[in-house]
Amino acid sequence: MAPGCFIWMMTGIFSSIEFYVIMVFLAAAVVGLAAMPSRRGAARTFLYAGCLYDNAPMSEPGIVAVVEADGTLSLYRFGLEGVGMDGAFSLALTIIGFDITIEERLTAGPASAQRATMARVSIDCLGAERYHFNFRSEATGRSAAFSLNIKPGNRIERRLN
């Protein structure tokens, strides 16, 4: 077969109906893959009530996360402002894959009550994985972000900015 015939056959394929049907199918497949949603999973929300204390070892606003021996995560919040011992401290956790958003919820309580300076929450819904946390307090406008591997003995401290 002469080289000119081969080139004519190859250019002839671009004018065939079969070529255009295949190209339309490939284009539809690319658009379908691009439009697929991410595989992060559904969001799960957990609510936890905390205990208030008035004897905090730190006065600066911050959090300390400690993984206990049984795998629960104890979250300590220091430097509470405007919360009485008769008030309330709670957390709302939204978990999507390995990303966790923690929303702090504060209730001040009566103005005459003794002031709370620290709160503690035990979080028991996490597996032994590495998670990315985003802690936010809408009431105080403070936040912090960190990653933590949920294994007994791990600990992390963060200031709230």
Side-chain angles (χ1 to χ4, degrees):
M1 180 184 328
C5 291
F6 180 73
I7 293 173
W8 180 79
M9 284 179 27
M10 291 306 292
T11 57
I13 197 164
F14 294 122
S15 62
S16 70
I17 292 176
E18 293 85 4
F19 173 77
Y20 288 104
V21 169
I22 292 170
M23 288 298 116
V24 167
F25 177 75
L26 287 175
V30 168
V31 170
L33 286 174
M36 284 180 62
S38 67
R39 302 208 184 269
R40 291 181 59 187
R44 298 176 294 150
T45 301
F46 298 91
L47 304 174
Y48 289 97
C51 297
L52 295 171
Y53 301 95
D54 62 355
N55 57 352
M58 297 178 355
S59 61
E60 191 170 326
I63 55 174
V64 175
V66 179
V67 182
E68 306 295 344
D70 63 353
T72 61
L73 178 66
S74 292
L75 191 74
Y76 298 89
R77 168 68 160 90
F78 295 100
L80 288 176
E81 302 158 350
V83 178
M85 290 298 291
D86 293 337
F89 176 86
S90 62
L91 298 178
L93 274 72
T94 303
I95 303 172
I96 302 174
F98 297 109
D99 297 325
I100 300 176
T101 301
I102 302 174
E103 291 286 337
E104 177 183 71
R105 298 179 180 173
L106 301 171
T107 303
S112 62
Q114 181 181 359
R115 293 292 173 207
T117 56
M118 180 179 95
R120 178 183 182 272
V121 175
S122 290
I123 300 170
D124 60 359
C125 64
L126 304 176
E129 297 288 342
R130 182 171 190 79
Y131 292 95
H132 307 283
F133 293 86
N134 186 4
F135 184 93
R136 294 188 295 214
S137 175
E138 190 174 315
T140 63
R142 297 180 184 272
S143 65
F146 59 94
S147 293
L148 182 65
N149 198 351
I150 306 298
K151 290 198 177 168
N154 284 352
R155 180 180 200 270
I156 195 162
E157 293 183 31
R158 287 290 183 263
R159 287 179 37 193
L160 294 176
N161 298 323

